[in-house]
Amino acid sequence: MSEYKFEEFNHQNILGVVIIFAQSVRKMLNAYLAFFAYSIFSDGIGKYAWWFFGISLVFTAVTSVLKYRNFRFKLDDTQLVLNSGIFTKDVMNIPLDRIQSVQMHQNFIQRILGITGLKIDTAGSSSEELEIPALKRKKAESLLELLKGKIRNEDLPKSDERMEESSEVLKKKSLKETLVNLDFKAILVLAITENHIRNGLIAVAFIMGYAGQYLDYSEQFVVDVFDDYAPELVESGIALIIVFVFTFLLLSVLLSFIQVILKFFDFKAEVDDQSFYISSGLIKRNEFTIPLKKIQFLEWKTNLLRKRLGFESISIHQGRSVESVGKNLLEIPSCYSEQTEKVMETLYTELVDDDYFFLLQPHTYQRVFRALVLSLFGIPFFLIALIATEEFVVFSGLYLVYVFVMIAAAEKYYQSINLWVNEEVIIYERGWIFPKRTVVKLHKFQTVELTQTVFQAKRNICHLTFSTAAGGRSFRFFDKNEMEELRDFVLYKTESFTGKWM
Amino acid sequence: MLLENLQLEKSDLPLLGNVDYSPHPKDYRDMRLLILMIVMFLLSGFWIMQLVFLNMTAMGVIFLIWVGLLSLILLEEIKGFKKRGYALRQRDITYKKGFLIHSQTTIPFNRVQHCETTQGPLSRAFGLMSLKVFTAGGASSDLRISGLRPEEANRLKDFITEASSTYE
């Protein structure tokens, strides 16, 4: 086992040149495939394409050798170090306890050459680069052993903990409580109260994007038809608009129903003191287990209709890791107040109202800014309508009404914003037509950013952006002194937290 | 161990506002200005091309917009350079930057996944190096500090790697 010295810098197996070359050629082909195919078949540039191809191959061969030569790695007690780069020199240090998993990996070429790649997953954002592509099988095995050994050593107390956890889970299995169980009526209510217009617009955008490819063919057809029927079309213009709007609304509602039924049929959410268990779906049945510790933050969302009926949906944001992209956001679509209470009880210690460390409202400038942006946003539409119809007075009047409505809306929105912080969580509440409430545990934060423009400096206001492993949220237009205090508080909480956070 | 249960007064918090920031070497500003000049030079070809197709009034308007933008960028670069700097504390690193939009980004060491230093050809010519600090999740929460002296960048990298590996 100890025939290899990983404490010093190692090169890969010399056959690594071939592997790197093959990888680069494949990347190059991917990038230039269309170009090559085109130029080989069109006679004018055909021979230049071959030249270009040849030169690219030689260039790739040279860079492969350089890449091989400059790629070195070593492993010491605390970290794995990778050196790479031809023109840029990259040194990457990976602390061993940040490594999530190590895998051996062999593609076709690697198998022919009798060589193994080692992939290292760190849950970071650039994890695809963390690969040692060419090692002799024995060497790869011994490095893997060594890495696993070191990771496991660090992990020992954790795996003990996990054992305890799982035995506790066994004991408490009977305690698993049903949180939400949607029957068909509940699903119908859900479908009716969906945001139909948004669903419709998403569908239209999707269809437009898809149809865009065929537009060239259909354009001529549309133009022909339009030319033939132009007078009738203009005459029935208003009727057409009404029909169009009606069809759009009908289709949107239909779409909402289909979506909701497909997604949430026989929806079931259960909870115990370790995890959420969610299962749902009509055609494709999905089942998820979400350990409570992995949850980064929760967001309650609702709309005016649903608020009146007394329910909200909860989005569960989990930490992003490479293999579960897209699966990191789960939803409990319908939660009444007692279920919300149950979730809060499970996840957070008791929240006492007067226990709040901070209770903040944004600076009044927030509503001014919002009203201004919304008002400016309307200008192009009214301007187009004005120019098209030349009804100056009507549209100026309408615009004035629009501005007043926007000012009122901004005021309403401003009133709805609340930021509560206690010893454990931040609760950020905002929204009036679509109220939202984000709840984050203080120690989940990993980056805190305070932003201020020159114009805000005079009023002493700023934005504060928090990021967790599942994305972040911005608190906008708050008093700067208060935000600095909040930042220091959150940093203190995160930095003094010693447990697992994802 | 359970620090989090201590009752805390707002006045007891360790304040980030009081720390001293280390500035970049002047070379970094020169490098940024050089890059700006190269970009301007490349774009100027585009503007000269416009001269052939447009009349003088349109040209004048475009030129004015151009000058306005340029002076704004120069203002940002020159004023903003003094605003750049990083600060290390025992348990986190903060980087601040920007004149028109000023931001201070802080990453606690116990949330760092790994650290990397990189050096491109231009920064090598200026004797500078970049430090990247990676966190879990998206790239939006990562931190990049360009324009450090290589020894400083490597020292920072070692310090952060060391500090982050002492946590779980």
Side-chain angles (χ1 to χ4, degrees), chain A residues 37-50:
Chain A
Y38 174 72
S39 44
I40 285 166
F41 289 113
S42 67
D43 21 283
I45 23 177
K47 66 178 173 215
Y48 295 111
W50 286 113

Side-chain angles (χ1 to χ4, degrees), chain A residues 15-31:
Chain A
L15 287 170
V17 178
V18 183
I19 309 259
I20 297 170
F21 180 66
Q23 279 177 350
S24 311
V25 168
R26 211 188 54 207
K27 269 186 209 160
M28 186 180 81
L29 281 180
N30 276 346

Side-chain angles (χ1 to χ4, degrees), chain A residues 57-111:
Chain A
L57 271 186
V58 173
F59 182 71
T60 313
V62 173
T63 52
S64 300
V65 173
L66 287 176
K67 261 188 201 166
Y68 166 76
R69 220 196 50 189
N70 290 349
F71 188 94
R72 294 179 306 163
F73 63 93
K74 75 171 179 183
L75 174 71
D76 59 30
D77 288 335
T78 56
Q79 60 187 15
L80 181 69
V81 185
L82 303 179
N83 283 6
S84 63
I86 312 169
F87 301 112
T88 64
K89 290 233 161 90
D90 295 352
V91 183
M92 201 177 293
N93 295 39
I94 309 146
L96 290 180
D97 51 352
R98 288 291 182 266
I99 297 177
Q100 307 282 331
S101 68
V102 192
Q103 305 161 2
M104 294 222 281
H105 164 86
Q106 252 186 337
N107 63 20
F108 185 65
I109 296 172
Q110 284 167 326
R111 196 167 305 156

Side-chain angles (χ1 to χ4, degrees), chain A residues 491 495, chain B residues 16 87-94 106-109:
Chain A
L491 283 175
E495 284 160 12
Chain B
L16 189 53
L88 275 185
R89 294 198 299 175
Q90 225 174 341
R91 292 173 173 219
D92 54 34
I93 181 166
T94 306
T106 311
I107 298 185
F109 294 142

Side-chain angles (χ1 to χ4, degrees), chain B residues 10 18 28 34 40 54 69 73 77 82 100 117 123-124 138 141-142 156:
Chain B
K10 282 182 192 176
N18 296 347
Y28 181 49
L34 181 66
M40 289 296 147
L54 290 172
L69 261 177
I73 293 173
E77 282 301 330
K82 289 175 200 146
L100 293 173
T117 51
S123 42
R124 196 174 308 164
S141 56
D142 296 341
L156 276 176

Side-chain angles (χ1 to χ4, degrees), chain A residues 114-351:
Chain A
I115 267 180
T116 310
L118 215 57
K119 276 190 175 170
I120 297 143
D121 180 17
T122 61
S125 51
S126 65
S127 45
E128 51 184 340
E129 286 160 36
L130 300 185
E131 192 187 355
I132 305 174
L135 290 173
K136 264 263 176 306
R137 187 162 185 94
K138 258 193 162 172
K139 196 170 177 180
E141 271 169 3
S142 84
L143 181 58
L144 182 74
E145 276 309 301
L146 207 59
L147 269 173
K148 276 199 169 161
K150 292 199 176 180
I151 300 170
R152 203 170 299 140
N153 277 342
E154 304 260 346
D155 233 11
L156 256 175
K158 271 187 256 167
S159 58
D160 264 3
E161 197 182 295
R162 211 171 292 146
M163 288 280 280
E164 266 169 43
E165 270 177 31
S166 57
S167 61
E168 265 172 48
V169 169
L170 280 178
K171 265 185 253 159
K172 285 176 182 167
K173 204 129 208 181
S174 52
L175 281 176
K176 210 172 176 184
E177 275 181 71
T178 303
L179 189 67
V180 181
N181 202 345
L182 293 185
D183 55 13
F184 200 68
K185 201 185 122 205
I187 291 177
L188 283 187
V189 171
L190 207 63
I192 291 168
T193 54
E194 273 282 288
N195 187 350
H196 303 297
I197 295 176
R198 202 196 59 178
N199 287 343
L201 285 179
I202 289 173
V204 167
F206 181 73
I207 292 166
M208 298 270 261
Y210 199 71
Q213 304 170 35
Y214 306 101
L215 210 67
D216 290 341
Y217 306 103
S218 54
E219 203 179 333
Q220 194 52 47
F221 174 73
V222 173
V223 168
D224 287 347
V225 170
F226 191 79
D227 281 349
D228 286 349
Y229 297 100
E232 288 90 336
L233 278 176
V234 171
E235 230 166 65
S236 55
I238 292 170
L240 203 72
I241 288 173
I242 291 173
V243 168
F244 180 75
V245 168
F246 188 72
T247 320
F248 174 76
L249 283 180
L250 203 75
L251 282 180
S252 301
V253 172
L254 196 72
L255 201 73
S256 307
F257 269 82
I258 294 171
Q259 262 179 3
V260 166
I261 290 171
L262 280 183
K263 202 168 159 195
F264 296 127
F265 184 80
D266 193 21
F267 180 92
K268 210 166 160 192
E270 292 169 310
V271 65
D272 60 24
D273 54 359
Q274 300 296 331
S275 306
F276 278 114
Y277 308 88
I278 292 178
S279 60
S280 75
L282 179 63
I283 296 169
K284 205 177 129 208
R285 190 119 187 109
N286 291 316
E287 284 184 39
F288 301 102
T289 303
I290 310 142
L292 299 185
K293 278 181 188 163
K294 294 256 177 194
I295 294 173
Q296 297 296 310
F297 64 92
L298 296 182
E299 196 157 78
W300 275 260
K301 288 180 194 162
T302 186
N303 57 38
L304 280 181
L305 263 178
R306 287 181 179 179
K307 201 177 170 189
R308 178 142 292 190
L309 293 171
F311 71 91
E312 300 167 298
S313 68
I314 307 180
S315 313
I316 302 169
H317 295 254
Q318 284 176 279
R320 271 180 206 144
S321 93
V322 190
E323 60 262 50
S324 69
V325 173
K327 286 183 191 166
N328 51 1
L329 204 155
L330 286 167
E331 202 185 356
I332 299 175
S334 161
C335 259
Y336 290 87
S337 57
E338 64 263 37
Q339 285 144 350
T340 293
E341 229 160 75
K342 175 78 200 151
V343 171
M344 294 295 277
E345 246 171 55
T346 321
L347 274 170
Y348 314 111
T349 49
E350 205 176 326
L351 296 168

